[in-house]
Amino acid sequence: MDQLRFISTTTTNGVLEREFSLGDVHGMLWSPASAEPAPLVLLGHGGGRDSKAAPMVGRARMLTEAGFHAVSIDAPGHGDRPRTALDERETVAMQHAMEVGEPVGPIVVPYNLHLAERAVPEWQATLDALEQLPEISGPFGYFGLNMGTAIGVPLTAVDGRITAAVFGIFWYDETLAEHARRIKVPVEFAVQWDDQHIPRESAMALFDAFASTEKSLHANAGAHKEVPRFEVDSMVRFFTRHLR
């Protein structure tokens, strides 16, 4: 079994930031500087980003201010991780579709689900390792939009350690919906009402697939990348309510 190895440790404005590796996986762990035992929130990044991306850092800092630990790992083919021929081909195809105004869903959805098959075992191995740290007390939550949803839905469906999750900004797909039907933990789901890539009917169909008896749909005006900042505030309140 691969060993968790901390590469660097810094403390900035009361937040302990630890960069780590676990075999071929690279990630970031953020904690309150006191490092007291507390629940952990997993942060799944979007396509083309990585664990150090500004949105990850911002969300992690808000979570640590609320007393949580937060962790993000680089998805396969992202960050400094090597890209396969498929990674390169699908990225070029998606960029071309966007340039010429063709739908990107038929490219993004199957590719992201392929990434999920590779990423879910990596997330589980990361949780196995982090559980051994005395300051990680559980339970776990998950937050991920876009590609973070494509990875987080199957992860939450198979890993009972995750007891609350925030998803959104993704298409309906029957394979993904099958995973969603296995999820019964509390869920928040974000939709951009004017999303130029994801038809609102498709996004809401995915929301409808979750078996959770406690789930809420957050529909906001705006385009695909215009998720309002207050959704992050809502995420912090959601985890405070369900992980404490």
Side-chain angles (χ1 to χ4, degrees), residues 37-42 67-71 127 131 135-142 159-164 185 238-244:
L40 174 71
V41 176
L42 288 55
F68 295 103
H69 301 278
V71 61
L127 294 186
E131 276 188 315
E135 65 269 28
I136 305 297
S137 66
F140 298 152
Y142 182 92
D159 200 312
R161 291 174 291 187
I162 299 172
T163 60
V185 302
F238 176 79
F239 288 129
T240 299
R241 186 165 65 252
H242 291 292
L243 299 183
R244 292 296 187 184

Side-chain angles (χ1 to χ4, degrees), residues 87-123:
D87 294 331
E88 296 287 359
R89 185 168 64 250
E90 295 301 304
T91 300
V92 170
M94 180 185 65
Q95 291 172 344
H96 174 73
M98 294 182 71
E99 288 173 1
V100 301
E102 295 179 350
V104 297
I107 300 168
V108 173
V109 173
Y111 175 53
N112 279 191
L113 294 181
H114 165 73
L115 291 179
E117 292 178 357
R118 297 154 62 185
V120 167
E122 295 176 346
W123 264 118

Side-chain angles (χ1 to χ4, degrees), residues 28 30 43 45-46 48-60 72 74:
M28 294 293 297
W30 296 269
L43 298 175
H45 64 76
R49 298 184 182 273
D50 58 27
S51 60
K52 292 183 177 180
M56 296 296 101
V57 176
R59 292 162 185 164
S72 183
D74 295 344

